[in-house]
Amino acid sequence: MTRPFSIYSAALLLLCGVYLLLPWEMNSALGQHIFINIKLPIMMTCLVVGFGVCSASAALQILLKNPLADPGILGIASGASAMAALYFLLINGLGIALFLSPLILSVLLPAMCFIGALLSGTLIFKLSKRIGFNPATVILSGIAISTILAAAVAWLYLVLPPTQLQNLTFWLMGSLNNANWYSLAVACAVMLVCLFLLFQSTHHLNWLLFGEQTAQVKGLDVYRFQRKVLMLIALMVGLSVSIAGSIAFIGLIIPHMLRRIYGYNNSKIVPLSGITGAGVLTLCAIINEHFTSIPLPVSLLTATIGAPLFIWLLMKGTALHSLRNTV
Amino acid sequence: MLQLHSLSSPNRLIEVSAEFNSGECWHLLGPNGSGKSSVLTAIAGLLQIEGRLLWHDMNIDKPPQIEHAQFRCLLPQKHQLYFEVTVKECFFMLHQSFHIPELLLDTLQLEQLQDKPVFSLSGGEQQRVYIALHLTQVWPAIEKGNALVLLDEPTQQLDPFFQIKTLELIANVSQLGNVVIQSHHDVNQTLEFASHAMLIKKHQVLNQGKVNDVIKSVSMQALYNQDFIELNDKSTSKRYLVVK
């Protein structure tokens, strides 16, 4: 039971070590500055976002009884995107940025995105509650709200000045380089609490796999539990999106891959998804650092590598099950 | 001992009162949609009800608590499982243990099904797995004779061999001192395996009591709007009801 955890954690630590330490000499002042103000924040972003997106998705797929669920489907990501578009239009485009202090500017984009994510999340809850709260209505209202917000972003595309257009495009494709210590400090603290609460409820997620009735007979207040976990997920995804933009595909592919190997026990899958997600993003950071001349958007990397991998995974079927005893 | 004091629920149940004693095996009979499942879910604490539900003088109204799951289990009529979980994993995820009680393993012949995904099994095989899965939840209480076992059509999709195996198993469970209540559609199996029966029609109790007092061709005709003939086997002095 503990073996995959130790192996995956060791791999994650190794990746972090490779990313942080590889070519930099810490002796020079420049080296130290880069280490503290660029590399460390990027690594923290990888950890926070990887854990946030992947653990949340793993839980969300069980909660919504839908193996296709990922944060995009809840419409939370699109709420943040709309706010980002608004930010680039109002603050940068109209020049309000000139009147704001650097400190405020450094946290304004993440803060606005987070508010956007929470607003769209709340809207989806309210809507699904109005039409009868259950997994299907959450998905339907999520799709409806995210379509509206995507349309809003498309409208803003029309009026954005060209320079801001590029900023927005990069943000929408996800970037690990946006983070700074102010926003990370808040994100880390909140994410830790959320992860703790989510990992605590994984055995209840297991019960839910057998349907609401059975979970209820086991003594779980299903409605309250669903609401609590959905709020946690919204918070985690909102935080991730607000510091790194929307990151494609890892939320879908990683829990699936792990389930193929280890089965459906959520006490394993939810935390392992988080560790793996953080590892994959750190790998993206390493690729960006050493193998490319310009920093590539993360979604570009995750989708380019992830989608073919996913197809391979689907074709491989249950053969991966045999990996259970080796990894 | 389980007592129902005029349980009511809008559009589901009207003033259902009953007393189920330890060691009794109850079958609920009635037409489709008459309220058999509603009685079971109400006792399981899943239904918004008026009235009182007492288990050995303890109030077990809604909502179900974790302590209640130690003695009360419900085999639902419709099973929901959305992912490709293996049989073994099912037991682990619901009960935090891979252990399946020996008796269930043998009676329902689950040995060779254990490592297969539930989706790949036939309907009857799945039903056997679910029976074992839900009984395992309260197995320690069953062995002590203080469990409340609720089963919604446990023999659905089973072949005659496993129907009889299952009904025997359920009757044995009740003889340990547990209260067992199941819904059922085969009148003759009820005559054979149940100790008591409750007839439910249009959300109300039509009649209840000892099986031989309740199940007669006249009462079955009133229950199902279908004529029955009563046959007697002189050598075993058993009664059979056959649809006319």
Side-chain angles (χ1 to χ4, degrees), chain A residues 61-215:
Chain A
Q61 285 159 5
I62 301 299
L63 201 69
L64 297 183
K65 299 171 184 156
N66 190 331
L68 289 178
D70 82 336
I73 219 167
L74 260 192
I76 294 162
S78 51
S81 307
M83 274 304 212
L86 214 59
Y87 170 89
F88 289 118
L89 177 73
L90 295 179
I91 311 296
N92 281 2
L94 295 183
I96 296 179
L98 298 174
F99 305 105
L100 297 171
S101 75
L103 176 65
I104 291 183
L105 266 184
S106 63
V107 292
L108 191 58
L109 179 58
M112 277 178 70
C113 290
F114 187 61
I115 291 169
L118 283 195
L119 275 181
S120 63
T122 320
L123 213 59
I124 292 161
F125 290 139
K126 293 277 177 216
L127 185 61
S128 69
K129 212 172 159 188
R130 191 76 178 269
I131 50 182
F133 183 84
N134 65 50
T137 59
V138 172
I139 292 177
L140 284 177
S141 33
I143 290 173
I145 299 286
S146 63
T147 309
I148 294 172
L149 290 169
V153 172
W155 281 105
L156 287 173
Y157 249 89
L158 286 180
V159 294
L160 271 178
T163 47
Q164 299 309 317
L165 210 57
Q166 201 189 0
N167 280 341
L168 178 61
T169 309
F170 257 73
W171 190 92
L172 286 178
M173 292 171 84
S175 166
L176 299 171
N177 309 331
N178 288 339
N180 54 60
W181 281 115
Y182 302 111
S183 47
L184 270 176
V186 181
C188 275
V190 180
M191 188 63 81
L192 273 177
V193 176
C194 288
L195 282 173
F196 176 73
L197 291 174
L198 188 69
F199 291 169
Q200 250 190 350
S201 51
T202 49
H203 66 288
H204 289 155
L205 276 174
N206 282 348
W207 295 356
L208 218 51
L209 216 62
F210 299 90
E212 275 101 5
Q213 269 197 343
T214 300

Side-chain angles (χ1 to χ4, degrees), chain B residues 140-174:
Chain B
I142 286 178
E143 284 180 325
K144 280 184 220 139
N146 53 18
L148 170 54
V149 180
L150 308 167
L151 308 153
D152 204 342
E153 299 196 18
T155 55
Q156 60 176 334
Q157 306 205 46
L158 295 181
D159 62 34
F161 176 81
F162 280 110
Q163 285 184 19
I164 301 303
K165 283 277 178 207
T166 304
L167 290 167
E168 276 172 359
L169 173 75
I170 293 167
N172 286 339
V173 163
S174 71

Side-chain angles (χ1 to χ4, degrees), chain B residues 114-203:
Chain B
Q114 278 192 79
D115 293 313
K116 296 186 180 161
V118 177
F119 279 174
S120 72
L121 304 178
S122 77
E125 288 173 326
Q126 289 189 18
Q127 181 67 11
R128 274 148 59 197
V129 170
Y130 286 119
I131 294 170
L133 184 65
H134 289 279
L135 286 180
T136 302
Q137 182 191 320
V138 291
W139 199 254
I142 286 178
E143 284 180 325
K144 280 184 220 139
N146 53 18
L148 170 54
V149 180
L150 308 167
L151 308 153
D152 204 342
E153 299 196 18
T155 55
Q156 60 176 334
Q157 306 205 46
L158 295 181
D159 62 34
F161 176 81
F162 280 110
Q163 285 184 19
I164 301 303
K165 283 277 178 207
T166 304
L167 290 167
E168 276 172 359
L169 173 75
I170 293 167
N172 286 339
V173 163
S174 71
Q175 275 155 20
L176 291 172
N178 303 291
V179 173
V180 180
I181 309 169
Q182 70 163 91
S183 59
H184 205 56
H185 276 304
D186 188 317
V187 180
N188 291 309
Q189 288 180 344
T190 300
L191 276 171
E192 172 95 31
F193 293 100
S195 66
H196 294 71
M198 178 188 268
L199 310 185
I200 302 167
K201 189 173 189 182
K202 292 186 180 155
H203 317 293

Side-chain angles (χ1 to χ4, degrees), chain A residues 65 209 211 218 263-265, chain B residues 64 80 82-83 89 92-94:
Chain A
K65 299 171 184 156
L209 216 62
K218 288 283 280 184
Y264 278 82
N265 183 3
Chain B
Q80 300 179 305
Y82 295 87
F83 298 90
E89 273 186 314
F92 183 78
M93 292 204 291
L94 204 56

Side-chain angles (χ1 to χ4, degrees), chain B residues 2-6 16-20 26 198 205 208:
Chain B
L2 176 73
Q3 289 170 302
L4 278 55
H5 292 291
S6 56
V16 175
S17 296
E19 201 176 292
F20 307 96
W26 281 77
M198 178 188 268
V205 177
Q208 55 178 317

